[in-house]
Amino acid sequence: MSYSSFLSSAAFFTILLLLHHGFYHVSDGAQHATYIVHMAQSQMPLGFDLHSLWYDSSLRSVSQSAQLLYTYANAIHGFSTRLTPEEADSLMTLPGVILVLPEHRYELHTTRTPLFLGLDVHNADLFPETGSSSDVVVGVLDTGVWPESKSFSDVGLGPVTSTWRGGCEAVTNFTASLCNRKLIGARFFARGYEATMGPVDESKESRSPRDDDGHGTHTSFDILAAIDKAVDDIVDVLSMSLGGGTSDYYRDSVAIGAFAAMERGILVSCSAGNSGPSSSTLSNVAPWITTVGVGTIDRDFPAVAVLGKGKNYSGISLFKGDALPDKTLPFVYAGNATNAANGNLCGPGTLIPEKVKAKIVMCDRRVNARVQKGEVELVADAHLLPATTVGEKAGDIIRHYVLTDPNPTASVLIRRTVVNVQPCPVVAAFSSRGPNSITPDIIKPDLIAPGVNILAGWTGSKGPTGLASDARRVEFNIISGTSMSCPHVSGLAALLNSVHPEWSPAAIRSALMTTAYKTYNDGKPILDVTTGKPSTPFEHGVGHVLPTTAINPGLIFDLTTVDYLGFLCALNYTPSQITSVSRRNYTCDPSKSYSVAHLNYPSFAVNVDGSSVFKYTRTVTSVGGAGSYSVKVILETTDVKISVEPAVLNFKEINEKKSHSVTFTVNSSKASRSNSFGSIEWSDGKHVVASPVAISWTYALLCNSSLFQSKNGMQCVLGLYLFSLCYLKKVNILRPQG
């Protein structure tokens, strides 16, 4: 089967969460809020035939006016509703109620990549000619779909897979006939949003699966409803480019819904977030979620800012139209051509027309989660007029020129698209980073994928700039963000699922992770654009995804639901907290010693806390048949020694399992001030199965080390206390991922 025929045979199921910025009115009184209620399904009284009737009765006992927004049967067991805080407290006291959680907002994280990923050449493993691969259904949670897009053409496709149980909702501006053999279903979820924000303004957007935005804001109860339905409709891969900061897994709707999907054999791929380059800014860090960061591709859209002094500065631009005159023009700084406080940003209506007419204008760009760029990484934006974006360093020089020269002039030259840009990939500055603030013993993100300047399908209701004044309409646009990298991994997971339908979600993720690359062809490490230095597992996870090797990884690290339950026990979760995540009554075995270090994850995070020895266990399964694998350890610090036992694993047949231990021995007297990284690699001469290693030194250890022997005890205690405050802040603050 060819690459193109596979793409057409992979069905796409779109779930819409329609909750956009600005298109709503104020809802009912401020005292009411929306809540998700987790119920113990097994505790339903005998007098009820249906769980929904029990839920309604429980709700009526605390509020006569409240209504069920959604009932959930797959993602969780329970319902969502609107209550006052007092009613929510009363509901929590009823029999069978496990947890009552307030709503949580989630922001979406928003050609050439098949060639860049090596999918342009025939690969008999990925695209078998025999037709032995299976149909795959990919569920996408986003702001909708433009069904007329050529991306959804079903020319040459066969019938929809018989396992599909979903449908195509016929609502405003969206008929069932718009679905076909590729876009096989589309649903719309907005009850939770409308309960909070009021009815959707249909003069500005469709109340349907149609995408009028390209991205938006979502509430946890609509997300859970969408996941719940996706599980019931039987998707194989679930792609979610959204996030809302971090919280404990039993309070995280995405983590809870993803757990239910994982149990049903669905791989859940989520974006890591666009809050880099600060550390510990990740979203979606549950170990049953595949968390995807962002790398660049080898394509650029160059432009040049030309100054009257003869200086040229490289930039990037998406503009198609008439070029500027072949000369420099008068040049003005926006901050000097406005009466608005933030006029330097060139917002709509902020510039004085007579001061900018027929001139080149320099606009500052607001510093946000994905700006603060240097000379290397720039994100291409569509423009209505000839314009270019330059990096921070060049911007400072240009601003100084326009503010100090008595007669400044400038121009903008738009160049042709270029490819084979090097070095590539580099980790994007906006890509959210580790360490993992919820479970530091699990490295996140898992890996990176293309997410900068990606050609993507675009809504037909807005121009490429998204501005109301932009009357142009395009089928595709250039977009950047983890909202672009996540679907790449989702699609690659679908490829692996089609060839290996017997593999679990953890097996597929393991194959994608352990075969990723972290060096360029010349052997030099992948760079972090923020620093210009080699990136680390806290930025790139295991490295950049490489599908041509992932299809035949040799060994996999597999995980089951029981393993994840043991992980929750290792976190010291209470029975009710475990029930909130797993929807079952589960009691941790008091005679058993649980440890996050024993979760069979394809990476190793060691947090040195004063102990000198840390022991991990792993089990690998041979999916490549008989072979002998030898281990290789790479570590950049001499303060830690790594030993692997046994150092050789011999397999006689496919699906055979072998366990090994990994021991980290720390020289605590030489505690480092910085993190250290490395890898553990198994190879049989044909396959290389790599796991990243990250070693972090806590403040508790530093206080006891020789580095602080000259400090007094109070200073060390204060340092640890301030670190704890910072850590808690990172856990609880919500971060928009726009």
Side-chain angles (χ1 to χ4, degrees):
M1 181 170 60
S2 68
Y3 172 66
S4 59
S5 63
F6 170 81
L7 288 183
S8 25
S9 69
F12 290 84
F13 165 54
T14 300
I15 303 170
L16 174 65
L17 304 173
L18 184 60
L19 306 162
H20 302 169
H21 291 293
F23 303 153
Y24 56 84
H25 66 241
V26 177
S27 60
D28 59 292
Q31 290 187 348
H32 282 78
T34 46
Y35 293 87
I36 295 174
V37 183
H38 295 248
M39 303 290 287
Q41 189 180 45
S42 61
Q43 296 183 27
M44 182 178 74
L46 296 177
F48 295 97
D49 296 326
L50 298 173
H51 284 91
S52 59
L53 297 177
W54 175 39
Y55 300 160
D56 186 68
S57 175
S58 299
L59 182 59
R60 296 287 175 223
S61 69
V62 299
S63 174
Q64 291 299 312
S65 61
Q67 296 181 341
L68 296 175
L69 297 175
Y70 292 110
T71 59
Y72 309 105
N74 298 301
I76 66 168
H77 295 148
F79 60 94
S80 56
T81 188
R82 285 184 62 75
L83 299 167
T84 66
E86 294 76 17
E87 290 168 342
D89 291 340
S90 297
L91 187 62
M92 187 64 207
T93 65
L94 298 183
V97 177
I98 300 172
L99 201 60
V100 180
L101 293 177
E103 72 165 319
H104 189 84
R105 295 284 185 82
Y106 289 85
E107 300 288 335
L108 284 155
H109 295 144
T110 177
T111 107
R112 184 168 170 80
T113 51
L115 176 67
F116 182 71
L117 293 170
L119 298 176
D120 59 313
V121 296
H122 177 73
N123 184 305
D125 290 329
L126 276 172
F127 313 115
E129 298 289 352
T130 61
S132 59
S133 58
S134 304
D135 288 332
V136 180
V137 179
V138 179
V140 182
L141 271 69
D142 212 309
T143 49
V145 64
W146 196 259
E148 294 85 359
S149 171
K150 293 177 182 178
S151 297
F152 298 112
S153 170
D154 65 352
V155 174
L157 286 179
V160 174
T161 176
S162 59
T163 62
W164 172 243
R165 300 199 310 205
C168 195
E169 292 186 355
V171 286
T172 306
N173 290 339
F174 203 98
T175 63
S177 63
L178 290 171
C179 291
N180 56 25
R181 291 169 296 175
K182 187 170 188 179
L183 179 66
I184 63 174
R187 297 188 184 277
F188 168 76
F189 301 88
R191 292 181 201 164
Y193 172 82
E194 292 185 320
T196 304
M197 301 296 189
V200 171
D201 184 348
E202 296 189 56
S203 68
K204 295 187 172 75
E205 57 181 337
S206 302
R207 196 178 183 280
S208 77
R210 182 174 291 279
D211 182 18
D212 294 301
D213 175 75
H215 255 353
T217 307
H218 307 273
T219 60
S220 50
F221 28 92
D222 285 322
I223 290 171
L224 273 175
I227 297 174
D228 198 73
K229 197 59 181 175
V231 171
D232 190 55
D233 287 342
I234 309 182
V235 303
D236 298 295
V237 176
L238 194 52
S239 185
M240 297 193 288
S241 298
L242 48 82
T246 52
S247 58
D248 289 311
Y249 304 127
Y250 64 89
R251 303 180 65 88
D252 184 339
S253 293
V254 171
I256 292 168
F259 192 99
M262 172 275 301
E263 279 197 282
R264 299 284 281 269
I266 301 169
L267 182 138
V268 179
S269 173
C270 290
S271 50
N274 299 334
S275 298
S278 300
S279 61
S280 295
T281 49
L282 294 162
S283 296
N284 306 314
V285 297
W288 47 87
I289 291 174
T290 300
T291 311
V292 188
V294 177
T296 61
I297 62 172
D298 61 344
R299 176 179 60 195
D300 210 350
F301 303 93
V304 180
V306 180
L307 302 188
K309 292 289 188 180
K311 296 285 187 179
N312 295 344
Y313 296 92
S314 297
I316 192 168
S317 180
L318 294 174
F319 173 77
K320 184 178 181 180
D322 295 334
L324 291 171
D326 190 20
K327 63 178 182 179
T328 58
L329 300 171
F331 189 24
V332 62
Y333 176 60
N336 292 337
T338 181
N339 293 321
N342 61 347
N344 62 312
L345 302 177
C346 297
T350 61
L351 298 180
I352 301 172
E354 55 269 25
K355 289 191 175 184
V356 297
K357 184 178 181 179
K359 297 179 181 179
I360 302 294
V361 181
M362 180 181 183
C363 306
D364 291 325
R365 184 164 182 172
R366 189 189 308 275
V367 176
N368 57 34
R370 78 176 196 192
V371 185
Q372 200 69 23
K373 303 175 183 70
E375 292 284 5
V376 182
E377 177 205 67
L378 291 172
V379 173
D381 291 317
H383 295 286
L384 277 168
L385 300 170
T388 183
T389 301
V390 298
E392 185 179 31
K393 184 183 295 185
D396 290 342
I397 296 172
I398 295 172
R399 187 186 301 103
H400 180 267
Y401 165 72
V402 71
L403 290 175
T404 59
D405 192 281
N407 187 31
T409 61
S411 188
V412 175
L413 300 179
I414 308 297
R415 303 297 193 189
R416 292 183 177 181
T417 300
V418 296
V419 295
N420 298 315
V421 175
Q422 299 299 327
C424 188
V426 295
V427 178
F430 62 80
S431 186
S432 290
R433 317 299 175 93
N436 183 339
S437 62
I438 299 299
T439 313
D441 294 324
I442 302 291
I443 294 178
K444 291 284 183 171
D446 291 314
L447 72 175
I448 60 172
V452 176
N453 299 336
I454 303 300
L455 185 67
W458 186 249
T459 174
S461 65
K462 286 188 176 182
T465 63
L467 298 172
S469 58
D470 190 351
R472 299 172 298 173
R473 294 296 180 265
V474 296
E475 291 191 57
F476 298 92
N477 204 354
I478 297 294
I479 309 295
S480 297
T482 46
S483 59
M484 295 293 104
S485 59
C486 171
H488 277 89
V489 170
S490 303
L492 296 176
L495 271 176
L496 267 62
N497 182 283
S498 72
V499 179
H500 298 291
E502 75 282 2
W503 282 7
S504 70
I508 293 173
R509 177 183 58 203
S510 173
L512 291 169
M513 288 178 63
T514 61
T515 58
Y517 64 93
K518 56 183 182 294
T519 60
Y520 301 118
N521 290 336
D522 61 4
K524 294 181 180 179
I526 290 176
L527 298 177
D528 177 1
V529 70
T530 306
T531 62
K533 299 178 180 179
S535 60
T536 76
F538 288 158
E539 288 88 51
H540 65 232
V542 295
H544 194 285
V545 67
L546 185 62
T548 53
T549 55
I551 197 68
N552 185 14
L555 305 176
I556 57 170
F557 295 79
D558 209 353
L559 284 161
T560 67
T561 301
V562 173
D563 295 317
Y564 291 122
L565 290 171
F567 165 79
L568 297 178
C569 291
L571 298 181
N572 295 317
Y573 274 22
T574 65
S576 65
Q577 290 169 345
I578 293 176
T579 301
S580 295
V581 175
S582 66
R583 311 166 330 285
R584 75 191 68 206
N585 294 323
Y586 186 84
T587 303
C588 303
D589 186 347
S591 65
K592 185 176 180 180
S593 177
Y594 295 96
S595 172
V596 175
H598 299 325
L599 185 70
N600 202 39
Y601 214 76
S603 62
F604 297 87
V606 181
N607 292 278
V608 183
D609 57 3
S611 302
S612 59
V613 178
F614 301 83
K615 190 170 184 178
Y616 295 66
T617 59
R618 293 292 187 269
T619 299
V620 289
T621 303
S622 173
V623 293
S628 180
Y629 288 79
S630 299
V631 73
K632 177 183 178 181
V633 175
I634 302 171
L635 193 60
E636 63 187 22
T637 180
T638 59
D639 297 342
V640 180
K641 302 297 182 184
I642 302 177
S643 61
V644 182
E645 183 64 34
V648 177
L649 299 175
N650 295 305
F651 296 90
K652 298 180 180 179
E653 58 186 3
I654 196 168
N655 292 328
E656 184 178 0
K657 298 180 184 293
K658 294 284 185 179
S659 297
H660 59 279
S661 64
V662 180
T663 303
F664 298 82
T665 304
V666 180
N667 185 345
S668 299
S669 64
K670 297 182 179 180
S672 172
R673 288 180 180 268
S674 59
N675 301 319
S676 299
F677 304 96
S679 65
I680 297 173
E681 301 176 358
W682 294 94
S683 179
D684 63 349
K686 179 181 178 182
H687 308 92
V688 176
V689 185
S691 296
V693 171
I695 299 173
S696 303
W697 306 80
T698 71
Y699 279 79
L701 176 63
L702 291 176
C703 281
N704 294 324
S705 74
S706 58
L707 295 173
F708 286 87
Q709 291 304 309
S710 62
K711 306 289 185 180
N712 62 47
M714 180 59 71
Q715 288 173 309
C716 274
V717 170
L718 180 61
L720 179 59
Y721 177 65
L722 292 176
F723 171 77
S724 298
L725 286 179
C726 178
Y727 176 81
L728 289 173
K729 183 178 180 182
K730 287 178 180 177
V731 170
N732 292 318
I733 283 186
L734 303 183
R735 302 181 187 87
Q737 311 291 348

